[in-house]
Amino acid sequence: MILSERISRMEESLTLAITQKARELKAAGRETISFSAGEPDFDAPQAVKEAAIAAINGGFNKYTAVSGIDELKEAIANKLKRDNGLNYSPKNIVISSGAKHSLFQLFAVLINRGDEVIIPAPAWVSYPEMTRYHGGKAILVPTKAQNGFKMTPSELKAALTDKTKIVVLGSPSNPTGSVYSREEIAALGEVLKGSKALVISDEIYEKLIYGDKFVSAAAVSDDLFARTITVNGLSKSAAMTGWRLGYFASVSGEIVKAVTTLQSQSTTNACSIVQKAAIAALDGRSDDDIERMRQKFEKRRDLALAALGKIDGLKPIVPQGAFYIFVSHEAIEKDSMRFCLRLLENAGVATVPGVGFAQEGYFRMSFATDDASIEKGIAKIASFVREYRS
Ligand SMILES: Cc1ncc(COP(=O)(O)O)c(C=O)c1O
């Protein structure tokens, strides 16, 4: 066998596979509407672009410190204090090429063979895949729709063992849009007290929130602050997916050092120009743009929910954050892959099957697209469902 045992444990991202299939149909001349995208359709903030141009013109194009430039680390530390009430210092921060990169490296330095990683399901596809790649055991904890697809303290307690290395919390969640409240995080924190488990809090959708204020897991108690690694980035909040900038913060000097070592031997620093530009996304200059995008997303969410709500046989979960609606199609079809493939082939609408998030009977629809596409696409879903049922 040519390939390593490691890579054979990992599957290609289903999200990307469906986007590719939709692209192929489009290239073949078929009208398709894509609700599968995992990225904002907005442009990056103007201040970010200007900062990038200034960095280019200023010749800021050499290697930087592996874990990132001090100026950006300071901007991140200030942001974490201002927005999240977290007291991290710049030395607690490592900057990487996207939050996915931060997560991958964290899993790499933390997981030993057989270590367990608790992942509430439905879950973002990459958490279990990264866990398995690094030899860990993904413990998917099924959550319930009636609990807003949030893990309860008793579900966490039942999954926790002395092999638990990491508990992953993604709030707002991809794919369900659920958001954990301070009380809910505190109750999970109580379960973890006395255990050695670390928490990885993936806060990438933090700015896209439609209900109560967002709460960082590390901000809830001293115990959680000590055991939580806070992961974030600019892809979703500042519509900067292609720029590739993510980071984590942890009070553990050991973890910071280990990830820095790994990054020094693999990708080195995040792009120097992007690091300069990122400061403009975090220091307040882009706040109006970021808030404008959030408001647009909220309107689109309401538009999509109103239209989906009229379709007999579908049951959307109302998202409190992110830009996805997780929709139950259980009443008409149990198999999400079959449902989504037929929807794509017959109606030309691309969504992502719930099975890719470890949840059958649902599809994920992204509303990171314009109003006209949302209306047209949901109308197509409606007639597809009518035919499916008849
Ligand atoms: C839950 C979640 N975490 C992390 C990421 C990765 O973001 P980045 O573009 O910063 O790598 C994504 C992107 O889809 C995501 O949905």
Side-chain angles (χ1 to χ4, degrees):
M1 195 158 92
I2 302 173
L3 301 177
S4 72
E5 187 226 327
R6 263 189 326 276
I7 191 62
S8 63
R9 290 196 293 262
M10 194 182 238
E11 283 176 21
E12 194 201 351
S13 160
L14 210 60
T15 346
L16 300 180
I18 293 259
T19 314
Q20 179 59 25
K21 172 106 187 155
R23 227 177 258 139
E24 282 165 22
L25 285 177
K26 213 171 194 170
R30 279 277 306 280
E31 192 201 20
T32 50
I33 292 181
S34 180
F35 290 149
S36 63
E39 61 182 345
D41 53 322
F42 301 115
D43 201 356
Q46 191 57 31
V48 168
K49 292 187 190 178
E50 280 163 15
I53 291 164
I56 293 171
N57 288 334
F60 195 71
N61 49 27
K62 301 286 186 259
Y63 291 131
T64 72
V66 168
S67 59
I69 57 175
D70 288 342
E71 213 183 337
L72 177 55
K73 285 190 193 171
E74 258 157 46
I76 293 170
N78 289 340
K79 175 254 176 274
L80 290 169
K81 181 147 188 61
R82 183 191 68 206
D83 296 352
N84 311 92
L86 295 169
N87 269 317
Y88 288 115
S89 90
K91 70 174 188 332
N92 300 135
I93 293 164
V94 178
I95 296 156
S96 301
S97 306
K100 198 181 238 175
H101 187 210
S102 303
L103 287 162
F104 188 88
Q105 297 193 118
L106 284 165
F107 281 45
V109 306
L110 292 173
I111 295 176
N112 279 318
R113 187 166 278 274
D115 281 350
E116 294 179 355
V117 178
I118 292 181
I119 303 167
W124 181 49
V125 285
S126 297
Y127 305 135
E129 295 303 336
M130 287 183 190
T131 301
R132 288 191 272 266
Y133 179 82
H134 292 295
K137 206 167 154 199
I139 308 295
L140 286 156
V141 176
T143 60
K144 297 192 178 72
Q146 69 260 32
N147 296 332
F149 282 124
K150 288 184 268 191
M151 182 166 66
T152 64
S154 54
E155 286 164 350
L156 173 60
K157 201 168 178 182
L160 195 67
T161 72
D162 55 5
K163 292 207 192 101
T164 306
K165 188 68 186 271
I166 300 167
V167 178
V168 178
L169 277 187
S171 173
S173 152
N174 172 9
T176 66
S178 58
V179 176
Y180 285 81
S181 69
R182 180 176 293 277
E183 293 69 33
E184 286 162 343
I185 298 168
L188 296 174
E190 281 304 310
V191 175
L192 295 180
K193 262 193 188 149
S195 82
K196 287 204 285 270
L198 297 165
V199 173
I200 290 188
S201 179
D202 181 348
E203 308 187 353
I204 192 96
Y205 293 98
E206 166 210 14
K207 292 286 173 197
L208 305 174
I209 194 124
Y210 314 115
D212 294 342
K213 204 175 168 299
F214 170 78
V215 178
S216 282
V220 170
S221 68
D222 289 346
D223 184 74
L224 275 168
F225 185 61
R227 68 172 75 239
T228 297
I229 302 162
T230 303
V231 177
N232 210 328
L234 302 179
S235 287
K236 321 288 174 168
S237 57
M240 290 173 62
T241 47
W243 298 64
R244 311 309 303 131
L245 201 290
Y247 57 88
F248 78 84
S250 164
V251 287
S252 161
E254 216 179 344
I255 295 174
V256 166
K257 185 160 181 276
V259 172
T260 306
T261 303
L262 176 61
Q263 190 161 297
S264 78
Q265 300 293 7
S266 51
T267 59
T268 314
N269 56 276
C271 170
S272 60
I273 296 149
V274 173
Q275 289 190 63
K276 280 279 191 191
I279 298 165
L282 293 165
D283 67 0
R285 274 179 278 170
S286 301
D287 284 4
D288 289 349
D289 284 334
I290 290 170
E291 173 56 14
R292 214 171 300 126
M293 291 190 249
R294 190 202 68 77
Q295 287 175 10
K296 276 238 169 88
F297 276 130
E298 186 160 8
K299 286 212 174 93
R300 291 167 173 186
R301 176 193 79 143
D302 295 344
L303 177 73
L305 281 172
L308 285 167
K310 291 185 193 135
I311 306 177
D312 259 359
L314 297 186
K315 218 163 148 198
I317 302 285
V318 177
Q320 302 303 314
F323 43 69
Y324 309 106
I325 304 180
F326 208 46
V327 185
S328 166
H329 56 72
E330 274 166 314
I332 45 177
E333 167 66 65
K334 296 263 181 286
D335 187 320
S336 61
M337 185 55 100
R338 186 178 327 157
F339 183 89
C340 290
L341 277 175
R342 286 201 185 159
L343 180 61
L344 181 56
E345 278 154 13
N346 299 351
V349 178
T351 56
V352 184
V355 66
F357 307 101
Q359 179 66 53
E360 266 303 0
Y362 282 76
F363 68 84
R364 188 196 73 177
M365 122 159 218
S366 159
F367 53 88
T369 186
D370 59 280
D371 290 4
S373 299
I374 291 173
E375 282 173 339
K376 198 166 174 188
I378 297 180
K380 281 173 181 281
I381 295 176
S383 45
F384 170 77
V385 167
R386 261 195 309 276
E387 269 171 42
Y388 213 98
R389 286 164 75 90
S390 59

